[in-house]
Amino acid sequence: TQLLEQSPQFLSIQEGENLTVYCNSSSVFSSLQWYRQEPGEGPVLLVTVVTGGEVKKLKRLTFQFGDARKDSSLHITAAQPGDTGLYLCGSSNTGKLIFGQGTTLQVKP
Amino acid sequence: EAQVTQNPRYLITVTGKKLTVTCSQNMNHEYMSWYRQDPGLGLRQIYYSMNVEVTDKGDVPEGYKVSRKEKRNFPLILESPSPNQTSLYFCASSFGAGLEAFFGQGTRLTVV
């Protein structure tokens, strides 16, 4: 069974700081998705990465897919309080859509 | 508006009393799934369905049942709920397992 390991699990930073969240697996991903979840809501897709080495940007968020497609990272530049939430990586595996444990990010003003 | 609708949002029940959580999507998605979310454990898939009349176990199926008689609906059934099924449940749908998943707003279930 493919497992997705996310790190760190918790991150509390000041507004304006940069941060990186990691998602790793012992297996190769066919594709990988990053979601963000706010309290009381379901997760919402941020991005899907498909090609090894791919880099995608979404305003201050940069997503990288490892060359071997076994790891991915999410980098946030100059974090803002509005970035606070739970960040989840997810991938499909033989029909299942599985997720990492999530990274809880708190950005203090 | 494209959406996944779960009902109810909140539910408190007693051990052993059968309950059903409904899920409906209006996007004509083939793939639907149920997750439970517990602190420190992330989202764990309970059951999924690739199309009508096709359902498969996820990673934590024990104590749950599902059915997919129509494309838009995917109810989650707890025949005899137990306190360890107290959790936050999400339904999701997409055109395929590896494609963008749309989630409902969640059902917070408490079994006493």
Side-chain angles (χ1 to χ4, degrees):
Chain A
T1 302
Q2 182 178 36
L3 294 175
L4 299 179
E5 299 281 343
Q6 275 187 250
S7 61
Q9 284 199 35
F10 302 97
L11 204 48
S12 182
I13 62 172
Q14 293 294 135
E15 182 176 0
E17 292 184 15
N18 301 331
L19 66 113
T20 303
V21 176
Y22 299 93
C23 179
N24 297 288
S25 173
S26 56
S27 305
V28 174
F29 299 122
S30 54
S31 63
L32 186 116
Q33 300 169 344
W34 284 95
Y35 290 79
R36 179 164 166 257
Q37 183 180 13
E38 298 192 37
E41 304 288 334
V44 175
L45 182 72
L46 295 172
V47 78
T48 300
V49 286
V50 179
T51 307
E54 186 175 5
V55 177
K56 283 191 173 179
K57 293 195 174 185
L58 192 64
K59 296 183 181 177
R60 293 174 294 100
L61 278 61
T62 301
F63 303 86
Q64 278 195 291
F65 203 15
D67 291 339
R69 292 189 291 132
K70 294 173 74 172
D71 59 275
S72 181
S73 65
L74 157 60
H75 182 79
I76 301 180
T77 303
Q80 298 176 2
D83 295 326
T84 292
L86 176 67
Y87 290 82
L88 294 155
C89 64
S91 184
S92 66
N93 177 26
T94 60
K96 298 180 181 179
L97 175 55
I98 61 173
F99 290 88
Q101 315 97 306
T103 295
T104 299
L105 172 64
Q106 181 186 43
V107 183
K108 302 174 191 172
Chain B
E1 181 190 352
Q3 59 186 2
V4 178
T5 303
Q6 286 179 235
N7 279 296
R9 291 289 309 275
Y10 302 92
L11 181 59
I12 301 175
T13 190
V14 296
T15 299
K17 185 176 180 183
K18 180 180 178 180
L19 66 93
T20 299
V21 184
T22 64
C23 174
S24 180
Q25 51 94 3
N26 62 1
M27 293 168 280
N28 202 35
H29 286 161
E30 282 81 25
Y31 190 91
M32 297 186 74
S33 56
W34 277 102
Y35 297 86
R36 60 178 292 173
Q37 187 172 37
D38 302 289
L41 297 177
L43 282 167
R44 293 182 293 167
Q45 195 174 46
I46 302 169
Y47 269 95
Y48 64 97
S49 169
M50 291 193 170
N51 216 323
V52 177
E53 302 292 0
V54 179
T55 62
D56 275 296
K57 296 178 180 178
D59 291 326
V60 288
E62 293 77 23
Y64 305 94
K65 284 175 59 176
V66 293
S67 68
R68 188 93 182 271
K69 293 184 171 57
E70 307 164 276
K71 197 172 190 178
R72 63 184 293 128
N73 296 322
F74 192 45
L76 178 70
I77 303 155
L78 284 72
E79 295 269 4
S80 182
S82 61
N84 65 11
Q85 293 178 297
T86 291
S87 187
L88 179 59
Y89 291 86
F90 286 100
C91 178
S93 74
S94 63
F95 283 115
L99 303 176
E100 179 179 6
F102 293 81
F103 286 82
Q105 290 206 291
T107 296
R108 187 165 290 282
L109 172 65
T110 302
V111 184
V112 298

